[in-house]
């Protein structure tokens, strides 16, 4: 088993490892900015704005939105707190020159929890709303914190309790209050065969149809790991069940397109793959509001492949000649679920240039760390990657997907990007880390050539 690098603590999340503290760190101050003119410097901490202690970035955005913001700033070198006024010209963004948004989010006085409503607004996380207080609800409404991303899963109380727990009804009560206030909501259902599909799914879809500000609803199949006790199979192993979900959703989609001009009810890419059905056209995805929930990624990738091969043949030719001159093949690392579309990209690249053989190929990594039906690119871990890539990579360029690393460039099993790159380089590889969609992938390869 390969080592996982210098980190002693193995991790299983994508959170920052930076220490927490009261207020918000000033990450960078641009010369000539309002923050620079006010005497703020990197490393100081903003404790309050206009007398309001900063709980999170929402307080900062709300309070610092005017022309003048009165700050309390802690200077660690002097262990003192000073008052300062931050003036902003109309239309000028103070935030970009003062406080880094992600750090303010992570370093608030109140630690952000995994099911925290603020992560829904700030980062697009799906939350159940079961732990939201009445004060929180009013804050969402007053500050118009929308869209909110909500895990719905089911509407019947007994089914919701089995999936979410004893506070499941609180989530519905809060959600209905937000919808009545006109807050835009994007919802998600994690579909579990025999639990919230079939008739229960119809009841849930009917309920969503009754709320006009419920802008989109994503259906994603339940995934399970080798450690799961409750589930040992999913839609990925049952083509007929996947096809039944596609059929059930179709009339709801057709009504929404006819009455609202949007598809509204969206299936994740896995359902079309598992059902062996064509991926819908781009215009059915309503501008991809739930792209990072796996809704439309496949369609976008296929369309981008077509576009790249038609519009950037010169760049493709340069990259192919460089790989040929270097006597190297490009390995595009991906999860097993993405192998088909990456293969299509490589074959389309070769076809566009009239090449007999592709100069790039998908290299899918089997997820032994989690097991079960986990097969997506974003959950690739170091131990699987290093065990499955060849020991001799002297004739290869290895392209690692950026999505497998967290904010601190750490994998889910606790290894660092730096260590992984060093290990693969020691095997002879030229290693790139980038977004592995067609355009950014080609751009990264061209950058290395320069």
């Amino acid at each position: 088993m390969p080592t996982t690098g210098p980190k002693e603590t193995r991790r299983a999340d994508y959170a920052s490892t930076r220490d927490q503290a009261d207020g918000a760190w000033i990450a960078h101050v641009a010369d000539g900015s309002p923050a620079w003119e006010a005497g703020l410097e990197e490393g100081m901490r903003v404790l309050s704005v206009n007398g309001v202690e900063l709980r999170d970035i929402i307080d900062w955005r709300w309070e610092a939105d005017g022309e003048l913001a009165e700050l309390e700033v802690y200077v660690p070198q002097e262990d003192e707190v000073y008052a300062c006024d931050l003036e902003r010209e109309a239309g000028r963004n103070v935030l970009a020159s003062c406080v880094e948004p992600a750090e303010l989010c992570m370093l608030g006085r109140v630690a952000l929890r995994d099911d925290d409503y603020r992560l829904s607004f700030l980062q697009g996380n799906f939350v159940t709303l079961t732990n939201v207080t009445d004060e929180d609800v009013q804050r969402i409404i007053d500050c118009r914190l929308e869209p909110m991303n909500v895990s719905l899963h089911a509407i019947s109380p007994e089914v919701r309790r089995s999936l979410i727990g004893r506070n499941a009804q609180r989530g519905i009560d809060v959600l209905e209050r937000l919808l009545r206030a006109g807050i835009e909501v994007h919802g998600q259902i994690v579909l579990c065969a025999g639990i919230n599909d079939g008739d229960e799914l119809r009841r849930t879809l009917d309920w969503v149809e009754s709320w006009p500000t419920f802008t989109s609803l994503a259906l994603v199949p339940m995934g399970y790991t080798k450690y799961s006790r409750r589930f040992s199979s999913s839609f990925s192993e049952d083509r007929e069940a996947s096809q039944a979900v596609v059929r059930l959703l179709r009339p709801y989609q057709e009504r929404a397109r006819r009455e609202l001009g949007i598809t509204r009810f969206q299936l994740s890419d896995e359902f079309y793959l598992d059902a062996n059905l064509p991926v819908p056209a781009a215009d059915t995805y309503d501008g991809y509001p739930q792209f990072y929930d796996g809704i439309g990624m496949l369609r976008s990738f296929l369309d981008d492949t077509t576009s790249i091969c038609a519009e950037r043949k010169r760049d493709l030719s340069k990259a192919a000649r460089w790989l040929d001159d270097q006597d190297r093949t490009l390995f595009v690392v991906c999860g097993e679920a993405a192998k088909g579309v990456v293969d299509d990209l490589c074959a389309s690249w070769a076809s566009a240039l009239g090449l007999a053989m592709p100069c790039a190929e998908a290299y899918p990594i089997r997820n032994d760390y989690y097991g079960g039906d986990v097969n997506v690119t974003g959950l690739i871990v170091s131990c699987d990657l290093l065990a499955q890539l060849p020991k001799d990579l002297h004739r290869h360029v290895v392209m690692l997907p950026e999505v497998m690393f967290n904010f601190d460039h750490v994998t889910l099993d606790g290894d660092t990007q730096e260590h992984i790159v060093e290990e693969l380089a020691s095997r002879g590889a030229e290693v790139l880390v980038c977004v592995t969609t067609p355009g950014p992938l080609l751009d990264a390869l061209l950058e290395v050539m320069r």
Side-chain angles (χ1 to χ4, degrees):
M1 180 69 68
T3 62
T4 57
K7 274 190 172 294
E8 295 182 2
T9 303
R10 295 170 71 84
R11 305 205 42 218
D13 61 80
Y14 280 116
S16 172
T17 55
R18 191 186 294 268
D19 291 337
Q20 294 203 357
D22 290 348
W25 294 106
I26 297 176
H28 173 69
V29 178
D31 289 348
S33 67
W36 180 84
E37 292 170 356
L40 299 179
E41 297 178 2
E42 180 180 338
M44 294 180 179
R45 287 208 310 271
V46 181
L47 301 180
S48 71
V49 182
N50 300 331
V52 176
E53 291 186 355
L54 293 183
R55 295 168 290 179
D56 47 48
I57 196 172
I58 298 171
D59 284 337
W60 168 266
R61 289 177 175 174
W62 188 261
E63 294 296 334
D65 190 52
E67 295 181 3
L68 177 67
E70 298 176 353
L71 311 184
E72 275 191 324
V73 179
Y74 173 69
V75 181
Q77 296 90 338
E78 302 175 19
D79 194 26
E80 293 286 348
V81 176
Y82 295 93
C84 113
D85 291 339
L86 193 62
E87 298 183 11
R88 180 180 66 173
E89 299 173 9
R92 197 170 184 186
N93 188 356
V94 177
L95 181 65
S97 62
C98 182
V99 182
E100 186 173 315
E103 293 187 3
L104 180 53
C105 173
M106 297 308 301
L107 295 175
R109 175 184 295 274
V110 180
L112 297 185
R113 303 153 295 179
D114 184 48
D115 197 30
D116 195 304
Y117 76 92
R118 292 170 294 178
L119 290 179
S120 175
F121 170 69
L122 294 168
Q123 296 181 188
N125 291 27
F126 282 90
V127 295
T128 65
L129 300 177
T130 55
N131 56 8
V132 177
T133 67
D134 289 341
E135 181 182 5
D136 291 334
V137 175
Q138 197 58 50
R139 185 189 191 199
I140 294 169
I141 295 170
D142 291 343
C143 297
R144 306 302 299 180
L145 304 183
E146 57 184 350
M148 293 297 292
N149 298 284
V150 179
S151 291
L152 180 59
H153 301 325
I155 194 60
S156 298
E158 64 278 8
V159 180
R160 281 183 57 80
R161 279 195 299 271
S162 73
L163 293 169
I164 299 174
R166 59 187 177 87
N167 293 324
Q169 186 57 44
R170 174 62 179 173
I172 291 297
D173 293 342
V174 170
L175 179 55
E176 290 186 342
R177 185 175 167 188
L178 296 179
L179 290 167
R180 281 194 294 271
I183 296 294
E184 182 182 0
V185 171
H186 295 294
Q188 179 198 68
I189 293 174
V190 177
L191 208 59
C192 305
I195 298 178
N196 61 342
D197 58 349
D199 289 340
E200 178 58 26
L201 178 57
R202 287 189 184 88
R203 282 189 287 271
T204 306
L205 298 177
D206 290 343
W207 182 85
V208 170
E209 268 193 326
S210 69
W211 294 98
T213 55
F214 214 119
T215 305
S216 71
L217 180 69
L219 274 68
V220 302
M222 180 273 302
Y224 65 95
T225 72
K226 62 185 179 183
Y227 306 103
S228 175
R229 296 181 180 180
R230 186 174 183 183
F231 300 104
S232 59
S233 64
S234 188
F235 291 92
S236 57
E237 295 98 2
D238 192 336
R239 178 176 298 178
E240 290 185 2
S242 296
Q243 292 174 344
V245 173
V246 176
R247 288 195 301 270
L248 189 153
L249 202 65
R250 189 171 294 133
Y252 292 91
Q253 295 173 318
E254 292 173 350
R255 272 197 303 275
R257 284 195 290 267
R258 185 172 61 250
E259 298 172 6
L260 304 174
I262 58 174
T263 304
R264 197 185 194 192
F265 299 93
Q266 302 280 5
L267 284 168
S268 69
D269 297 346
E270 295 100 318
F271 276 110
Y272 296 106
L273 291 173
D274 297 338
N276 196 28
L277 292 172
V279 181
D283 59 4
T284 65
Y285 285 99
D286 303 337
Y288 301 101
Q290 298 214 31
F291 186 80
Y292 289 103
D293 200 26
I295 310 295
M297 283 187 173
L298 183 55
R299 168 46 59 199
S300 177
F301 194 103
L302 294 171
D303 288 350
D304 287 351
T305 296
T306 301
S307 175
I308 289 292
C309 290
E311 301 171 8
R312 299 185 62 181
K313 284 188 179 180
R314 180 177 297 181
D315 287 339
L316 289 172
S317 180
K318 287 180 182 178
R321 283 199 306 270
W322 181 79
L323 288 166
D324 186 57
D325 291 343
Q326 297 287 319
D327 192 25
R328 292 195 172 204
T329 297
L330 174 64
F331 279 167
V332 181
V333 171
C334 60
E336 290 181 307
K339 181 182 185 301
V341 292
V342 178
D343 280 342
D344 180 77
L345 168 63
C346 298
S348 297
W349 180 359
S351 177
L353 300 179
L355 301 177
M357 294 289 292
C359 53
E361 61 182 271
Y363 202 99
I365 301 297
R366 184 183 64 254
N367 201 309
D368 295 328
Y369 185 80
Y370 288 110
D373 68 345
V374 177
N375 59 8
V376 296
T377 302
L379 297 181
I380 292 174
V381 295
S382 174
C383 60
D384 290 337
L385 176 80
L386 297 180
Q388 294 174 40
L389 280 172
K391 298 300 180 185
D392 183 0
L393 290 166
H394 282 88
R395 297 178 60 187
H396 294 90
V397 176
V398 176
M399 190 160 283
L400 299 179
E402 186 179 273
V403 72
M404 67 178 282
F405 300 100
N406 77 348
F407 294 109
D408 296 327
H409 308 296
V410 176
T411 59
L412 283 168
D413 61 341
D415 203 355
T416 65
Q417 178 178 307
E418 180 182 15
H419 172 257
I420 294 172
V421 170
E422 288 176 353
E423 168 61 26
L424 296 179
S426 74
R427 302 182 190 184
E430 177 89 39
V431 185
L432 308 178
V433 181
C434 73
V435 176
T436 49
T437 52
L441 186 153
L442 178 58
D443 291 339
L445 195 55
L446 294 172
E447 185 62 31
V448 168
M449 292 165 51
R450 297 189 189 99

